[in-house]
Amino acid sequence: MRPSRSGTFTDVHAYIPNSSKDELVLKLLSVDPRNYADAPTEAIRQVFSHIRGVQIPRNGPLEISDVESIRMGTTIATNALLERQGERVAF
């Protein structure tokens, strides 16, 4: 599973071995406090719900004993540099 969080959206690509549908792609708002506290965690919850066929409650612990890997990337820092946002740290 590879969540990638940017300023606006969190994109997810989940590879599901030994499944009738090997891949799952999701897109969530990176900030949506009315629905979830953290977009990558919500994305993982949605993937687990889909794979396991049961609704997993929000904001609860996630059972990960059967997960081989989760990789996450972000463009937040890159976007801040490109948009010249953030604190000046040199010169």
Side-chain angles (χ1 to χ4, degrees), residues 27-61:
K27 185 178 211 86
L28 297 113
L29 288 170
S30 290
V31 179
D32 190 359
R34 289 185 180 181
N35 291 303
Y36 42 83
D38 178 69
T41 303
E42 173 62 13
I44 293 166
R45 186 193 69 76
Q46 287 187 23
V47 169
F48 288 174
S49 289
H50 176 81
I51 293 169
R52 295 174 181 158
V54 296
Q55 189 66 349
I56 299 171
R58 287 190 173 126
N59 302 318

PDB file of all heavy atoms in Angstrom, residues 27-61:
ATOM      1  N   LYS A  27      -8.613   8.121  -3.551  1.00  0.00           N
ATOM      2  CA  LYS A  27      -8.205   9.527  -3.450  1.00  0.00           C
ATOM      3  C   LYS A  27      -9.061  10.156  -2.361  1.00  0.00           C
ATOM      4  O   LYS A  27     -10.279  10.107  -2.424  1.00  0.00           O
ATOM      5  CB  LYS A  27      -8.403  10.236  -4.778  1.00  0.00           C
ATOM      6  CG  LYS A  27      -7.897  11.646  -4.808  1.00  0.00           C
ATOM      7  CD  LYS A  27      -8.115  12.236  -6.199  1.00  0.00           C
ATOM      8  CE  LYS A  27      -7.056  13.229  -6.536  1.00  0.00           C
ATOM      9  NZ  LYS A  27      -5.845  12.727  -7.114  1.00  0.00           N
ATOM     10  N   LEU A  28      -8.405  10.735  -1.341  1.00  0.00           N
ATOM     11  CA  LEU A  28      -9.106  11.399  -0.238  1.00  0.00           C
ATOM     12  C   LEU A  28      -8.573  12.815  -0.084  1.00  0.00           C
ATOM     13  O   LEU A  28      -7.426  13.087  -0.429  1.00  0.00           O
ATOM     14  CB  LEU A  28      -8.843  10.666   1.083  1.00  0.00           C
ATOM     15  CG  LEU A  28      -9.315   9.260   1.200  1.00  0.00           C
ATOM     16  CD1 LEU A  28      -8.123   8.336   1.282  1.00  0.00           C
ATOM     17  CD2 LEU A  28     -10.122   9.132   2.449  1.00  0.00           C
ATOM     18  N   LEU A  29      -9.397  13.674   0.478  1.00  0.00           N
ATOM     19  CA  LEU A  29      -8.906  14.997   0.844  1.00  0.00           C
ATOM     20  C   LEU A  29      -7.854  14.838   1.930  1.00  0.00           C
ATOM     21  O   LEU A  29      -8.030  14.070   2.877  1.00  0.00           O
ATOM     22  CB  LEU A  29     -10.041  15.873   1.367  1.00  0.00           C
ATOM     23  CG  LEU A  29     -11.046  16.358   0.332  1.00  0.00           C
ATOM     24  CD1 LEU A  29     -12.233  17.011   1.020  1.00  0.00           C
ATOM     25  CD2 LEU A  29     -10.377  17.337  -0.622  1.00  0.00           C
ATOM     26  N   SER A  30      -6.741  15.566   1.838  1.00  0.00           N
ATOM     27  CA  SER A  30      -5.693  15.470   2.853  1.00  0.00           C
ATOM     28  C   SER A  30      -6.144  16.033   4.185  1.00  0.00           C
ATOM     29  O   SER A  30      -5.679  15.603   5.235  1.00  0.00           O
ATOM     30  CB  SER A  30      -4.426  16.182   2.380  1.00  0.00           C
ATOM     31  OG  SER A  30      -3.836  15.454   1.323  1.00  0.00           O
ATOM     32  N   VAL A  31      -7.039  17.000   4.148  1.00  0.00           N
ATOM     33  CA  VAL A  31      -7.581  17.580   5.378  1.00  0.00           C
ATOM     34  C   VAL A  31      -9.104  17.556   5.279  1.00  0.00           C
ATOM     35  O   VAL A  31      -9.683  18.211   4.428  1.00  0.00           O
ATOM     36  CB  VAL A  31      -7.076  19.023   5.592  1.00  0.00           C
ATOM     37  CG1 VAL A  31      -7.675  19.613   6.851  1.00  0.00           C
ATOM     38  CG2 VAL A  31      -5.559  19.070   5.645  1.00  0.00           C
ATOM     39  N   ASP A  32      -9.731  16.773   6.147  1.00  0.00           N
ATOM     40  CA  ASP A  32     -11.186  16.660   6.190  1.00  0.00           C
ATOM     41  C   ASP A  32     -11.598  16.329   7.632  1.00  0.00           C
ATOM     42  O   ASP A  32     -12.028  15.221   7.927  1.00  0.00           O
ATOM     43  CB  ASP A  32     -11.663  15.578   5.218  1.00  0.00           C
ATOM     44  CG  ASP A  32     -13.169  15.576   5.028  1.00  0.00           C
ATOM     45  OD1 ASP A  32     -13.858  16.412   5.662  1.00  0.00           O
ATOM     46  OD2 ASP A  32     -13.661  14.734   4.259  1.00  0.00           O
ATOM     47  N   PRO A  33     -11.442  17.302   8.551  1.00  0.00           N
ATOM     48  CA  PRO A  33     -11.635  17.024   9.981  1.00  0.00           C
ATOM     49  C   PRO A  33     -13.040  16.569  10.364  1.00  0.00           C
ATOM     50  O   PRO A  33     -13.210  15.948  11.406  1.00  0.00           O
ATOM     51  CB  PRO A  33     -11.271  18.343  10.656  1.00  0.00           C
ATOM     52  CG  PRO A  33     -11.363  19.379   9.603  1.00  0.00           C
ATOM     53  CD  PRO A  33     -11.083  18.687   8.300  1.00  0.00           C
ATOM     54  N   ARG A  34     -14.027  16.849   9.548  1.00  0.00           N
ATOM     55  CA  ARG A  34     -15.381  16.367   9.857  1.00  0.00           C
ATOM     56  C   ARG A  34     -15.512  14.863   9.679  1.00  0.00           C
ATOM     57  O   ARG A  34     -16.397  14.242  10.244  1.00  0.00           O
ATOM     58  CB  ARG A  34     -16.415  17.061   8.977  1.00  0.00           C
ATOM     59  CG  ARG A  34     -16.627  18.498   9.331  1.00  0.00           C
ATOM     60  CD  ARG A  34     -17.732  19.071   8.495  1.00  0.00           C
ATOM     61  NE  ARG A  34     -17.931  20.472   8.853  1.00  0.00           N
ATOM     62  CZ  ARG A  34     -18.826  21.238   8.317  1.00  0.00           C
ATOM     63  NH1 ARG A  34     -19.613  20.755   7.363  1.00  0.00           N
ATOM     64  NH2 ARG A  34     -18.950  22.482   8.689  1.00  0.00           N
ATOM     65  N   ASN A  35     -14.634  14.285   8.862  1.00  0.00           N
ATOM     66  CA  ASN A  35     -14.736  12.858   8.566  1.00  0.00           C
ATOM     67  C   ASN A  35     -13.594  12.013   9.120  1.00  0.00           C
ATOM     68  O   ASN A  35     -13.784  10.829   9.374  1.00  0.00           O
ATOM     69  CB  ASN A  35     -14.839  12.648   7.057  1.00  0.00           C
ATOM     70  CG  ASN A  35     -16.163  13.163   6.532  1.00  0.00           C
ATOM     71  OD1 ASN A  35     -17.210  12.737   6.984  1.00  0.00           O
ATOM     72  ND2 ASN A  35     -16.113  14.095   5.606  1.00  0.00           N
ATOM     73  N   TYR A  36     -12.399  12.585   9.266  1.00  0.00           N
ATOM     74  CA  TYR A  36     -11.271  11.822   9.800  1.00  0.00           C
ATOM     75  C   TYR A  36     -10.177  12.778  10.270  1.00  0.00           C
ATOM     76  O   TYR A  36     -10.061  13.900   9.806  1.00  0.00           O
ATOM     77  CB  TYR A  36     -10.714  10.824   8.775  1.00  0.00           C
ATOM     78  CG  TYR A  36     -10.596  11.360   7.367  1.00  0.00           C
ATOM     79  CD1 TYR A  36      -9.506  12.121   6.964  1.00  0.00           C
ATOM     80  CD2 TYR A  36     -11.575  11.091   6.422  1.00  0.00           C
ATOM     81  CE1 TYR A  36      -9.401  12.597   5.672  1.00  0.00           C
ATOM     82  CE2 TYR A  36     -11.495  11.560   5.124  1.00  0.00           C
ATOM     83  CZ  TYR A  36     -10.390  12.310   4.762  1.00  0.00           C
ATOM     84  OH  TYR A  36     -10.298  12.790   3.481  1.00  0.00           O
ATOM     85  N   ALA A  37      -9.382  12.266  11.220  1.00  0.00           N
ATOM     86  CA  ALA A  37      -8.315  13.077  11.806  1.00  0.00           C
ATOM     87  C   ALA A  37      -7.048  13.070  10.959  1.00  0.00           C
ATOM     88  O   ALA A  37      -6.299  14.042  10.941  1.00  0.00           O
ATOM     89  CB  ALA A  37      -8.001  12.580  13.215  1.00  0.00           C
ATOM     90  N   ASP A  38      -6.809  11.979  10.234  1.00  0.00           N
ATOM     91  CA  ASP A  38      -5.562  11.817   9.496  1.00  0.00           C
ATOM     92  C   ASP A  38      -5.837  11.069   8.195  1.00  0.00           C
ATOM     93  O   ASP A  38      -6.338   9.939   8.223  1.00  0.00           O
ATOM     94  CB  ASP A  38      -4.561  11.046  10.368  1.00  0.00           C
ATOM     95  CG  ASP A  38      -3.260  10.803   9.668  1.00  0.00           C
ATOM     96  OD1 ASP A  38      -2.519  11.778   9.432  1.00  0.00           O
ATOM     97  OD2 ASP A  38      -2.979   9.628   9.346  1.00  0.00           O
ATOM     98  N   ALA A  39      -5.537  11.691   7.060  1.00  0.00           N
ATOM     99  CA  ALA A  39      -5.875  11.104   5.767  1.00  0.00           C
ATOM    100  C   ALA A  39      -5.162   9.776   5.482  1.00  0.00           C
ATOM    101  O   ALA A  39      -5.806   8.828   5.030  1.00  0.00           O
ATOM    102  CB  ALA A  39      -5.620  12.107   4.650  1.00  0.00           C
ATOM    103  N   PRO A  40      -3.850   9.645   5.712  1.00  0.00           N
ATOM    104  CA  PRO A  40      -3.227   8.346   5.445  1.00  0.00           C
ATOM    105  C   PRO A  40      -3.828   7.217   6.283  1.00  0.00           C
ATOM    106  O   PRO A  40      -4.051   6.113   5.777  1.00  0.00           O
ATOM    107  CB  PRO A  40      -1.750   8.571   5.786  1.00  0.00           C
ATOM    108  CG  PRO A  40      -1.548  10.035   5.537  1.00  0.00           C
ATOM    109  CD  PRO A  40      -2.835  10.673   5.998  1.00  0.00           C
ATOM    110  N   THR A  41      -4.112   7.478   7.554  1.00  0.00           N
ATOM    111  CA  THR A  41      -4.727   6.451   8.396  1.00  0.00           C
ATOM    112  C   THR A  41      -6.121   6.097   7.893  1.00  0.00           C
ATOM    113  O   THR A  41      -6.502   4.922   7.853  1.00  0.00           O
ATOM    114  CB  THR A  41      -4.801   6.926   9.862  1.00  0.00           C
ATOM    115  OG1 THR A  41      -3.473   7.241  10.299  1.00  0.00           O
ATOM    116  CG2 THR A  41      -5.401   5.881  10.763  1.00  0.00           C
ATOM    117  N   GLU A  42      -6.879   7.100   7.474  1.00  0.00           N
ATOM    118  CA  GLU A  42      -8.220   6.850   6.927  1.00  0.00           C
ATOM    119  C   GLU A  42      -8.129   6.037   5.639  1.00  0.00           C
ATOM    120  O   GLU A  42      -8.934   5.138   5.398  1.00  0.00           O
ATOM    121  CB  GLU A  42      -8.947   8.166   6.675  1.00  0.00           C
ATOM    122  CG  GLU A  42     -10.271   8.030   5.961  1.00  0.00           C
ATOM    123  CD  GLU A  42     -11.318   7.211   6.726  1.00  0.00           C
ATOM    124  OE1 GLU A  42     -11.144   6.936   7.927  1.00  0.00           O
ATOM    125  OE2 GLU A  42     -12.328   6.850   6.105  1.00  0.00           O
ATOM    126  N   ALA A  43      -7.146   6.337   4.804  1.00  0.00           N
ATOM    127  CA  ALA A  43      -6.971   5.584   3.561  1.00  0.00           C
ATOM    128  C   ALA A  43      -6.671   4.120   3.857  1.00  0.00           C
ATOM    129  O   ALA A  43      -7.237   3.213   3.240  1.00  0.00           O
ATOM    130  CB  ALA A  43      -5.848   6.200   2.735  1.00  0.00           C
ATOM    131  N   ILE A  44      -5.796   3.883   4.826  1.00  0.00           N
ATOM    132  CA  ILE A  44      -5.462   2.515   5.212  1.00  0.00           C
ATOM    133  C   ILE A  44      -6.704   1.809   5.752  1.00  0.00           C
ATOM    134  O   ILE A  44      -6.977   0.651   5.420  1.00  0.00           O
ATOM    135  CB  ILE A  44      -4.308   2.509   6.237  1.00  0.00           C
ATOM    136  CG1 ILE A  44      -3.020   3.002   5.555  1.00  0.00           C
ATOM    137  CG2 ILE A  44      -4.115   1.124   6.837  1.00  0.00           C
ATOM    138  CD1 ILE A  44      -1.911   3.360   6.512  1.00  0.00           C
ATOM    139  N   ARG A  45      -7.493   2.504   6.569  1.00  0.00           N
ATOM    140  CA  ARG A  45      -8.729   1.928   7.108  1.00  0.00           C
ATOM    141  C   ARG A  45      -9.673   1.531   5.975  1.00  0.00           C
ATOM    142  O   ARG A  45     -10.268   0.449   5.979  1.00  0.00           O
ATOM    143  CB  ARG A  45      -9.429   2.930   8.037  1.00  0.00           C
ATOM    144  CG  ARG A  45     -10.652   2.350   8.742  1.00  0.00           C
ATOM    145  CD  ARG A  45     -11.487   3.440   9.381  1.00  0.00           C
ATOM    146  NE  ARG A  45     -12.151   4.278   8.389  1.00  0.00           N
ATOM    147  CZ  ARG A  45     -13.234   3.930   7.682  1.00  0.00           C
ATOM    148  NH1 ARG A  45     -13.794   2.754   7.860  1.00  0.00           N
ATOM    149  NH2 ARG A  45     -13.753   4.752   6.804  1.00  0.00           N
ATOM    150  N   GLN A  46      -9.814   2.401   4.980  1.00  0.00           N
ATOM    151  CA  GLN A  46     -10.708   2.096   3.855  1.00  0.00           C
ATOM    152  C   GLN A  46     -10.218   0.901   3.047  1.00  0.00           C
ATOM    153  O   GLN A  46     -11.015   0.063   2.612  1.00  0.00           O
ATOM    154  CB  GLN A  46     -10.861   3.329   2.955  1.00  0.00           C
ATOM    155  CG  GLN A  46     -11.708   4.407   3.578  1.00  0.00           C
ATOM    156  CD  GLN A  46     -12.000   5.546   2.614  1.00  0.00           C
ATOM    157  OE1 GLN A  46     -11.958   5.387   1.395  1.00  0.00           O
ATOM    158  NE2 GLN A  46     -12.291   6.711   3.168  1.00  0.00           N
ATOM    159  N   VAL A  47      -8.905   0.804   2.849  1.00  0.00           N
ATOM    160  CA  VAL A  47      -8.350  -0.351   2.133  1.00  0.00           C
ATOM    161  C   VAL A  47      -8.633  -1.626   2.918  1.00  0.00           C
ATOM    162  O   VAL A  47      -9.090  -2.625   2.355  1.00  0.00           O
ATOM    163  CB  VAL A  47      -6.834  -0.175   1.885  1.00  0.00           C
ATOM    164  CG1 VAL A  47      -6.209  -1.473   1.387  1.00  0.00           C
ATOM    165  CG2 VAL A  47      -6.585   0.951   0.883  1.00  0.00           C
ATOM    166  N   PHE A  48      -8.374  -1.615   4.226  1.00  0.00           N
ATOM    167  CA  PHE A  48      -8.641  -2.791   5.048  1.00  0.00           C
ATOM    168  C   PHE A  48     -10.123  -3.172   5.007  1.00  0.00           C
ATOM    169  O   PHE A  48     -10.468  -4.351   4.922  1.00  0.00           O
ATOM    170  CB  PHE A  48      -8.219  -2.551   6.490  1.00  0.00           C
ATOM    171  CG  PHE A  48      -6.727  -2.522   6.719  1.00  0.00           C
ATOM    172  CD1 PHE A  48      -6.223  -2.197   7.953  1.00  0.00           C
ATOM    173  CD2 PHE A  48      -5.829  -2.825   5.713  1.00  0.00           C
ATOM    174  CE1 PHE A  48      -4.859  -2.167   8.197  1.00  0.00           C
ATOM    175  CE2 PHE A  48      -4.464  -2.789   5.930  1.00  0.00           C
ATOM    176  CZ  PHE A  48      -3.982  -2.474   7.177  1.00  0.00           C
ATOM    177  N   SER A  49     -11.011  -2.191   5.087  1.00  0.00           N
ATOM    178  CA  SER A  49     -12.450  -2.473   5.029  1.00  0.00           C
ATOM    179  C   SER A  49     -12.810  -3.155   3.715  1.00  0.00           C
ATOM    180  O   SER A  49     -13.584  -4.110   3.683  1.00  0.00           O
ATOM    181  CB  SER A  49     -13.257  -1.181   5.187  1.00  0.00           C
ATOM    182  OG  SER A  49     -13.171  -0.690   6.493  1.00  0.00           O
ATOM    183  N   HIS A  50     -12.236  -2.664   2.631  1.00  0.00           N
ATOM    184  CA  HIS A  50     -12.504  -3.230   1.312  1.00  0.00           C
ATOM    185  C   HIS A  50     -11.990  -4.668   1.223  1.00  0.00           C
ATOM    186  O   HIS A  50     -12.700  -5.576   0.790  1.00  0.00           O
ATOM    187  CB  HIS A  50     -11.852  -2.369   0.233  1.00  0.00           C
ATOM    188  CG  HIS A  50     -11.990  -2.923  -1.141  1.00  0.00           C
ATOM    189  ND1 HIS A  50     -13.131  -2.772  -1.895  1.00  0.00           N
ATOM    190  CD2 HIS A  50     -11.137  -3.650  -1.890  1.00  0.00           C
ATOM    191  CE1 HIS A  50     -12.965  -3.376  -3.051  1.00  0.00           C
ATOM    192  NE2 HIS A  50     -11.767  -3.920  -3.072  1.00  0.00           N
ATOM    193  N   ILE A  51     -10.755  -4.878   1.631  1.00  0.00           N
ATOM    194  CA  ILE A  51     -10.138  -6.202   1.526  1.00  0.00           C
ATOM    195  C   ILE A  51     -10.836  -7.211   2.430  1.00  0.00           C
ATOM    196  O   ILE A  51     -11.115  -8.340   2.030  1.00  0.00           O
ATOM    197  CB  ILE A  51      -8.642  -6.131   1.914  1.00  0.00           C
ATOM    198  CG1 ILE A  51      -7.869  -5.319   0.886  1.00  0.00           C
ATOM    199  CG2 ILE A  51      -8.040  -7.520   2.042  1.00  0.00           C
ATOM    200  CD1 ILE A  51      -6.462  -4.976   1.329  1.00  0.00           C
ATOM    201  N   ARG A  52     -11.106  -6.801   3.668  1.00  0.00           N
ATOM    202  CA  ARG A  52     -11.648  -7.738   4.657  1.00  0.00           C
ATOM    203  C   ARG A  52     -13.163  -7.884   4.581  1.00  0.00           C
ATOM    204  O   ARG A  52     -13.742  -8.762   5.207  1.00  0.00           O
ATOM    205  CB  ARG A  52     -11.221  -7.288   6.049  1.00  0.00           C
ATOM    206  CG  ARG A  52      -9.703  -7.383   6.203  1.00  0.00           C
ATOM    207  CD  ARG A  52      -9.211  -6.811   7.491  1.00  0.00           C
ATOM    208  NE  ARG A  52      -7.752  -6.926   7.556  1.00  0.00           N
ATOM    209  CZ  ARG A  52      -6.994  -6.180   8.316  1.00  0.00           C
ATOM    210  NH1 ARG A  52      -7.526  -5.272   9.103  1.00  0.00           N
ATOM    211  NH2 ARG A  52      -5.686  -6.333   8.307  1.00  0.00           N
ATOM    212  N   GLY A  53     -13.812  -6.988   3.836  1.00  0.00           N
ATOM    213  CA  GLY A  53     -15.253  -7.092   3.663  1.00  0.00           C
ATOM    214  C   GLY A  53     -16.070  -6.753   4.896  1.00  0.00           C
ATOM    215  O   GLY A  53     -17.213  -7.182   5.009  1.00  0.00           O
ATOM    216  N   VAL A  54     -15.476  -6.001   5.811  1.00  0.00           N
ATOM    217  CA  VAL A  54     -16.174  -5.552   7.014  1.00  0.00           C
ATOM    218  C   VAL A  54     -15.887  -4.069   7.230  1.00  0.00           C
ATOM    219  O   VAL A  54     -14.822  -3.575   6.869  1.00  0.00           O
ATOM    220  CB  VAL A  54     -15.747  -6.343   8.281  1.00  0.00           C
ATOM    221  CG1 VAL A  54     -16.112  -7.799   8.168  1.00  0.00           C
ATOM    222  CG2 VAL A  54     -14.278  -6.187   8.558  1.00  0.00           C
ATOM    223  N   GLN A  55     -16.853  -3.396   7.798  1.00  0.00           N
ATOM    224  CA  GLN A  55     -16.669  -1.978   8.101  1.00  0.00           C
ATOM    225  C   GLN A  55     -15.787  -1.851   9.342  1.00  0.00           C
ATOM    226  O   GLN A  55     -16.104  -2.393  10.398  1.00  0.00           O
ATOM    227  CB  GLN A  55     -18.025  -1.306   8.330  1.00  0.00           C
ATOM    228  CG  GLN A  55     -17.949   0.182   8.446  1.00  0.00           C
ATOM    229  CD  GLN A  55     -17.510   0.885   7.164  1.00  0.00           C
ATOM    230  OE1 GLN A  55     -17.060   0.279   6.205  1.00  0.00           O
ATOM    231  NE2 GLN A  55     -17.629   2.174   7.153  1.00  0.00           N
ATOM    232  N   ILE A  56     -14.682  -1.146   9.212  1.00  0.00           N
ATOM    233  CA  ILE A  56     -13.774  -0.917  10.331  1.00  0.00           C
ATOM    234  C   ILE A  56     -14.042   0.484  10.859  1.00  0.00           C
ATOM    235  O   ILE A  56     -14.000   1.449  10.098  1.00  0.00           O
ATOM    236  CB  ILE A  56     -12.311  -1.074   9.892  1.00  0.00           C
ATOM    237  CG1 ILE A  56     -12.080  -2.508   9.394  1.00  0.00           C
ATOM    238  CG2 ILE A  56     -11.360  -0.722  11.037  1.00  0.00           C
ATOM    239  CD1 ILE A  56     -10.742  -2.728   8.739  1.00  0.00           C
ATOM    240  N   PRO A  57     -14.338   0.631  12.154  1.00  0.00           N
ATOM    241  CA  PRO A  57     -14.682   1.951  12.690  1.00  0.00           C
ATOM    242  C   PRO A  57     -13.525   2.938  12.593  1.00  0.00           C
ATOM    243  O   PRO A  57     -12.360   2.559  12.712  1.00  0.00           O
ATOM    244  CB  PRO A  57     -15.034   1.691  14.155  1.00  0.00           C
ATOM    245  CG  PRO A  57     -14.923   0.242  14.381  1.00  0.00           C
ATOM    246  CD  PRO A  57     -14.389  -0.405  13.154  1.00  0.00           C
ATOM    247  N   ARG A  58     -13.871   4.190  12.374  1.00  0.00           N
ATOM    248  CA  ARG A  58     -12.868   5.260  12.343  1.00  0.00           C
ATOM    249  C   ARG A  58     -12.300   5.482  13.737  1.00  0.00           C
ATOM    250  O   ARG A  58     -12.966   5.266  14.735  1.00  0.00           O
ATOM    251  CB  ARG A  58     -13.487   6.561  11.844  1.00  0.00           C
ATOM    252  CG  ARG A  58     -13.772   6.534  10.378  1.00  0.00           C
ATOM    253  CD  ARG A  58     -14.164   7.917   9.880  1.00  0.00           C
ATOM    254  NE  ARG A  58     -14.254   7.868   8.442  1.00  0.00           N
ATOM    255  CZ  ARG A  58     -15.320   8.245   7.755  1.00  0.00           C
ATOM    256  NH1 ARG A  58     -16.375   8.717   8.366  1.00  0.00           N
ATOM    257  NH2 ARG A  58     -15.320   8.162   6.449  1.00  0.00           N
ATOM    258  N   ASN A  59     -11.079   5.967  13.752  1.00  0.00           N
ATOM    259  CA  ASN A  59     -10.383   6.374  14.978  1.00  0.00           C
ATOM    260  C   ASN A  59     -10.119   5.236  15.951  1.00  0.00           C
ATOM    261  O   ASN A  59      -9.778   5.476  17.101  1.00  0.00           O
ATOM    262  CB  ASN A  59     -11.133   7.509  15.688  1.00  0.00           C
ATOM    263  CG  ASN A  59     -11.287   8.713  14.784  1.00  0.00           C
ATOM    264  OD1 ASN A  59     -10.360   9.080  14.081  1.00  0.00           O
ATOM    265  ND2 ASN A  59     -12.461   9.302  14.783  1.00  0.00           N
ATOM    266  N   GLY A  60     -10.264   4.010  15.527  1.00  0.00           N
ATOM    267  CA  GLY A  60      -9.925   2.872  16.368  1.00  0.00           C
ATOM    268  C   GLY A  60      -8.596   2.283  15.922  1.00  0.00           C
ATOM    269  O   GLY A  60      -8.044   2.664  14.891  1.00  0.00           O
ATOM    270  N   PRO A  61      -8.066   1.346  16.680  1.00  0.00           N
ATOM    271  CA  PRO A  61      -6.815   0.698  16.272  1.00  0.00           C
ATOM    272  C   PRO A  61      -7.025  -0.148  15.020  1.00  0.00           C
ATOM    273  O   PRO A  61      -8.105  -0.683  14.800  1.00  0.00           O
ATOM    274  CB  PRO A  61      -6.443  -0.158  17.478  1.00  0.00           C
ATOM    275  CG  PRO A  61      -7.719  -0.358  18.220  1.00  0.00           C
ATOM    276  CD  PRO A  61      -8.582   0.831  17.939  1.00  0.00           C
TER     277      PRO A  61
END
